[in-house]
Amino acid sequence: MSKNGIPDATDKRIASALQLHGRAPWDQIAQVLGLSERTTARRGQRLLDEGMIRVIGVLDTQLIGRPAPVLLGLRVETGSARAIAASLSGLAETRTVMALCGSFDHFVEVIPESQSSLRTFLFDRLPAQVRSSSSYPVLRFYTGSHEWNGGALTEDEERALRQEPRSPFGGRSGVIDLHTEEHRITQLLARDGRMSTTRLAGELGVSQATASRRLAAVLEQGVVRIRADVAPSLFGLTTEALLWLRVSYRHLDEVGRTLSDRPEVMTLVSVSGSYQICAHVAVRDTHHLQAFLTDVVGALDAVSEIDVSILLETFKRGGFTLAAPSPAQVPTPDAPDRPAGPRAAPEK
């Protein structure tokens, strides 16, 4: 890291390596990147300690029988945007909460435990200051943020670190029945995706051999995807946007596959509702965003309409609350809150 605290090329390379293999030991990353193990461990651990990178385990909830995620676009009362985002971030059902500049004030990704809990969330748990909401159930994940990479490595380096491809999120539904210890492991990995088997064993109260076996099971089955959560700005990508696309169903799969292969696209899903695709993209600036919209998206004949919202602030990402609001600013929903999901330390 440079003297002014700005990540340098080495930091970006280590971050990119962790995106490809979040549990890779420092000596393996050092060997692939041609760095000393000491430098790699020191630099990498500092990025983790300072919250610039969070290695977490993201649960494929549909694989264990839960409903598909639902994306919400919210319009809220003037002056209440930050407080509502904070309130929604504290709910266990939300995995992503963003404030936007565009057609919607907020974007919320809801991960329901059941259809009943989804109804309760939509009917009773949205703050009263929400003026309107649009719901978009996810039909298919084409690519997820756990697969996105900042692109700081060479092709050979990527090949040496990249893990075996897994089926997309939601590609299999309700086929895995987790053992109690395996379920607990998914919760622990959600807090720290690099947690050692020794520590896992201690948390579970089992032998290290049992912990290793249970860990291998959830990873090999694809129940948990280890993800290095890195803000795109670390790679110089300062502009993030949500794109809502109207697409001919005849060409929906073709458009989804084409755009999901683009390096600008972090997440892309097909949805039901007034739009057919929602994509989260990261680019260097607004000029590059326009070029992407005109040269890439605009060139697809099957796309009849594009709605673009610029990301203003991320309050919750991957289940981790990033902003720490003043309690006095947080409105209380009519229904009592459930225990909040895992929280990360405030960003520094």
Side-chain angles (χ1 to χ4, degrees), residues 56-330:
I56 58 177
V58 182
L59 182 66
D60 185 348
T61 53
Q62 289 174 263
L63 192 56
I64 60 173
R66 295 183 185 177
V70 175
L71 310 183
L72 301 182
L74 307 180
R75 299 290 294 184
V76 305
E77 292 182 2
T78 301
S80 64
R82 183 174 294 278
I84 288 177
S87 175
L88 293 170
S89 296
L91 300 179
E93 297 94 335
T94 61
R95 185 160 66 187
T96 305
V97 178
M98 298 174 174
L100 308 173
C101 181
S103 298
F104 297 121
D105 298 319
H106 292 77
F107 169 86
V108 182
E109 181 189 18
V110 181
I111 311 296
E113 291 186 4
S114 64
Q115 290 294 344
S116 176
S117 70
L118 175 61
R119 288 194 296 271
T120 299
F121 183 91
L122 295 176
F123 294 165
D124 304 322
R125 294 174 65 76
L126 291 177
Q129 293 87 344
V130 174
R131 291 166 45 201
S132 66
S133 65
S134 298
S135 305
Y136 301 93
V138 171
L139 300 178
R140 178 178 176 180
F141 276 88
Y142 282 88
T143 188
S145 56
H146 61 280
E147 300 174 272
W148 179 75
N149 190 269
L153 303 184
T154 67
E155 290 185 5
D156 288 342
E157 290 169 339
E158 286 191 9
R159 194 177 302 110
L161 287 166
R162 191 178 297 280
Q163 300 295 282
E164 290 185 14
R166 302 289 184 183
S167 60
F169 265 27
R172 297 176 292 161
S173 299
V175 298
I176 301 296
D177 186 16
L178 291 180
H179 185 277
T180 301
E181 291 167 354
E182 292 171 343
H183 181 70
R184 177 60 177 150
I185 284 176
T186 68
Q187 297 175 324
L188 294 169
L189 292 177
R191 299 204 316 256
D192 180 5
R194 290 180 64 83
M195 186 176 291
S196 68
T197 53
T198 301
R199 186 177 165 196
L200 282 171
E203 293 279 355
L204 296 171
V206 299
S207 69
Q208 188 168 346
T210 298
S212 297
R213 186 171 63 254
R214 298 296 189 193
L215 173 63
V218 299
L219 295 178
E220 290 172 3
Q221 293 177 108
V223 177
V224 170
R225 316 295 173 92
I226 301 300
R227 159 188 171 183
D229 181 45
V230 182
S233 56
L234 185 144
F235 298 105
L237 306 173
T238 61
T239 299
E240 296 178 59
L242 285 183
L243 313 183
W244 299 90
L245 310 181
R246 287 204 170 105
V247 182
S248 164
Y249 279 104
R250 182 178 180 181
H251 301 287
L252 177 59
D253 192 52
E254 176 187 352
V255 172
R257 292 178 183 276
T258 297
L259 292 180
S260 64
D261 286 338
R262 295 287 308 190
E264 300 92 342
V265 175
M266 300 178 66
T267 303
L268 187 143
V269 297
S270 61
V271 295
S272 63
S274 54
Y275 295 97
Q276 288 69 53
I277 283 179
C278 178
H280 180 192
V281 303
V283 293
R284 293 197 176 279
D285 52 37
T286 54
H287 294 286
H288 285 83
L289 177 59
Q290 178 169 323
F292 178 76
L293 294 172
T294 56
D295 300 342
V296 179
V297 184
L300 300 172
D301 293 336
V303 178
S304 60
E305 184 176 331
I306 310 172
D307 186 274
V308 183
S309 295
I310 304 296
L311 175 65
L312 293 179
E313 185 172 355
T314 300
F315 287 81
K316 191 175 187 180
R317 185 171 59 221
F320 276 79
T321 301
L322 304 179
S326 168
Q329 294 181 314
V330 180

